[in-house]
Amino acid sequence: MKTLIAAPDPDEPNDAAELVFTESRTMRAQTIGRVDVLEKVKALALLPDGAHATTDMVATYYEVPDSTLRSLIHANRAELEGNGYRSLTGAELAEFASPFGGLANLGLSPKARSLAVFSRRAILNVGMLLTESPVARQVRMYLLEVERAPSPFPIPTTFAGALALAAQQAAELEETRTEVAELVATNARLSPQARVADQYEANPGITPTAFHKAWFPLVPERDFFEHLYSENYLIDQRNARWDKEKKQRRDGPEHYTPTAKGKRYFYLEPKIDAKGIRRQQTRVLPGGAEHDLVAALERDGLPSRNQPPLPGAPVVRFVRRRIGGAR
């Protein structure tokens, strides 16, 4: 039977120590993985994917106005984004809403232009920072209880007890080695792209379409992607195979995926489509790789938000190449 920690009393005096979380980013980083405390404090409502919550859901959980939560996000955006907070717009918003059947099933207007979503870690991060919420305070007190808990390792007081403990630890070590060997073998079977996707689960990066809109809006979308193909960032297999059943040309199986050159900037994120079929979606590697890609495309001559074209400069244009007999 699972025993839960007794709920700390939020009215108990001398509990100001919980404010260490609001003051110390190091302390927050050490305990950010303890998302289990959220459900111990109160029920946590999530979107149908069971992994994300909206701003309204998080504000309701912590019993604070939306405006309070938005102010906290504004002041701590970089830290929250590092723990899974995202503001979705445009194509990225449409992709996020697609598995749910559209924006309406997320409680949004079909014309909504943005949606902020929080992972469980980001929700816990909010609780570590909010000072106006009794619920957030109780979350921090739970975290303190975890930090203060005594070591679970028994210390034997007799020679026989020491022998028994040594035998138990040897058996557990052998079991752990077996599990690790199985995990290593499983990981070896995973594709490099899948391992990269696991690495960026909390912050998966943006799609090439969203990247184009964010950094290179002055370049027509078709020209932008023509450049990615012609300069060998993404594999170009447009109309590369013949569909006998539909009697028409279709893109090849590796179309729009990163080339050897492009893997410095892109990776393939596994995802399940609306029909339950496993697919792979090309995304820009988050962090420094995204900025490196901006710099590389600027060196190629594409005008960006950082480096707009000079007055009177010619607009970059590309001629679509013929692939697989396409005209």
Side-chain angles (χ1 to χ4, degrees):
M1 179 177 179
K2 185 175 180 181
T3 302
L4 298 180
I5 302 173
D9 184 356
D11 298 321
E12 184 179 343
N14 301 321
D15 274 317
E18 45 89 17
L19 291 176
V20 67
F21 290 102
T22 67
E23 299 167 356
S24 171
R25 186 165 181 172
T26 300
M27 191 67 171
R28 296 195 293 272
Q30 289 177 350
T31 52
I32 194 64
R34 296 307 304 259
V35 295
D36 55 299
V37 304
L38 296 169
E39 295 284 359
K40 291 179 180 178
V41 173
K42 62 182 291 191
L44 175 64
L46 296 169
L47 292 172
D49 65 354
H52 296 91
T54 64
T55 300
D56 287 344
M57 290 176 172
V58 177
T60 299
Y61 176 83
Y62 285 112
E63 300 174 6
V64 296
D66 286 6
S67 57
T68 299
L69 186 54
R70 291 192 177 95
S71 296
L72 182 141
I73 294 168
H74 179 75
N76 302 275
R77 191 179 190 93
E79 181 178 344
L80 290 167
E81 287 180 342
N83 287 312
Y85 168 82
R86 287 187 290 162
S87 181
L88 308 176
T89 59
E92 194 173 14
L93 174 58
E95 290 168 8
F96 182 85
S98 177
F100 305 111
L103 295 173
N105 290 336
L106 296 177
L108 299 175
S109 165
K111 297 181 180 179
R113 302 180 64 182
S114 65
L115 173 66
V117 292
F118 298 74
S119 67
R120 289 176 183 268
R121 289 167 67 96
I123 298 169
L124 180 60
N125 200 167
V126 169
M128 294 176 178
L129 293 166
L130 268 178
T131 57
E132 302 88 349
S133 166
V135 177
R137 184 185 179 197
Q138 195 167 10
V139 166
R140 295 193 294 271
M141 291 170 66
Y142 262 116
L143 292 172
L144 277 180
E145 290 296 320
V146 172
E147 287 294 297
R148 293 168 178 169
S151 171
F153 299 106
I155 301 176
T157 57
T158 64
F159 181 70
L163 289 177
L165 179 60
Q168 177 186 344
Q169 290 177 341
E172 292 174 351
L173 178 60
E174 184 60 31
E175 182 179 353
T176 300
R177 285 174 175 168
T178 301
E179 292 177 354
V180 169
E182 292 174 352
L183 288 172
V184 169
T186 300
N187 192 54
R189 293 193 297 269
L190 292 175
S191 67
Q193 293 88 350
R195 292 197 291 272
V196 170
D198 289 341
Q199 180 182 356
Y200 295 108
E201 181 178 3
N203 179 20
I206 59 178
T207 64
T209 299
F211 174 85
H212 163 251
K213 291 180 179 179
W215 291 103
F216 294 91
L218 300 176
V219 181
E221 183 173 341
R222 178 172 175 174
D223 291 352
F224 177 78
F225 282 99
E226 192 68 47
H227 182 81
L228 295 183
Y229 296 136
S230 64
E231 294 301 316
N232 203 30
Y233 291 96
L234 298 179
I235 294 175
D236 186 0
Q237 289 188 345
R238 288 169 291 182
N239 302 316
R241 58 179 172 141
W242 178 254
D243 189 327
K244 294 181 180 179
E245 182 178 346
K246 295 186 177 181
K247 296 182 179 181
Q248 63 183 22
R249 303 205 70 85
R250 298 185 62 184
D251 295 340
E254 294 185 343
H255 177 64
Y256 195 62
T257 62
T259 62
K261 171 183 175 180
K263 287 179 181 177
R264 294 179 55 190
Y265 313 108
F266 302 96
Y267 77 101
L268 294 177
E269 178 199 30
K271 61 180 297 184
I272 306 298
D273 67 12
K275 297 181 180 179
I277 300 174
R278 185 179 181 84
R279 308 283 188 187
Q280 288 184 315
Q281 180 182 40
T282 299
R283 284 189 177 272
V284 178
L285 288 165
E290 180 177 345
H291 296 285
D292 290 345
L293 179 57
V294 174
L297 295 176
E298 287 174 344
R299 288 194 297 271
D300 290 346
L302 297 188
S304 70
R305 287 189 185 276
N306 298 332
Q307 297 183 4
L310 296 174
V315 178
V316 177
R317 293 287 182 184
F318 299 94
V319 177
R320 180 181 172 114
R321 293 182 297 165
R322 294 186 178 182
I323 304 296
R327 295 183 178 180

